[in-house]
């Protein structure tokens, strides 16, 4: 196995890209909202719960 010595530290933008950045946050939040919808009983009550949660807690990553 060949060893590689010329490594460089990732900057902030590269770290976000490697970690998924906004996409990972959005997918995780979508799963959260699905759980809230199901727990709210589905239908209109589940939709109201999801809308309230989105308004209060969703903070998109730029």
């Amino acid at each position: 196995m060949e060893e590689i010595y010329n490594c460089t530290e990732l900057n902030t933008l590269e770290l976000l890209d490697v970690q998924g950045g906004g996409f990972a946050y959005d997918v995780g939040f979508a799963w959260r909202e699905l759980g809230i919808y199901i727990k709210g009983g589905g239908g209109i009550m589940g939709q109201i719960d999801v809308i309230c949660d989105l308004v209060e807690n969703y903070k998109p990553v730029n």
Side-chain angles (χ1 to χ4, degrees):
M1 188 164 132
E2 182 182 20
E3 292 186 48
I4 300 173
Y5 293 102
N6 57 349
C7 297
T8 58
E9 184 177 354
L10 298 175
N11 65 31
T12 305
L13 293 175
E14 292 170 328
L15 284 171
L16 282 174
D17 188 44
V18 170
Q19 295 174 356
F23 176 74
Y25 177 79
D26 290 339
V27 169
F29 209 85
W31 278 105
R32 168 193 169 103
E33 297 307 326
L34 180 61
I36 289 172
Y37 177 76
I38 291 170
K39 186 176 178 183
I44 192 71
M45 294 309 294
Q47 291 174 6
I48 291 171
D49 291 346
V50 167
I51 290 169
C52 290
D53 185 65
L54 279 171
V55 169
E56 291 181 22
N57 298 311
Y58 183 65
K59 312 229 180 336
V61 177
N62 293 335

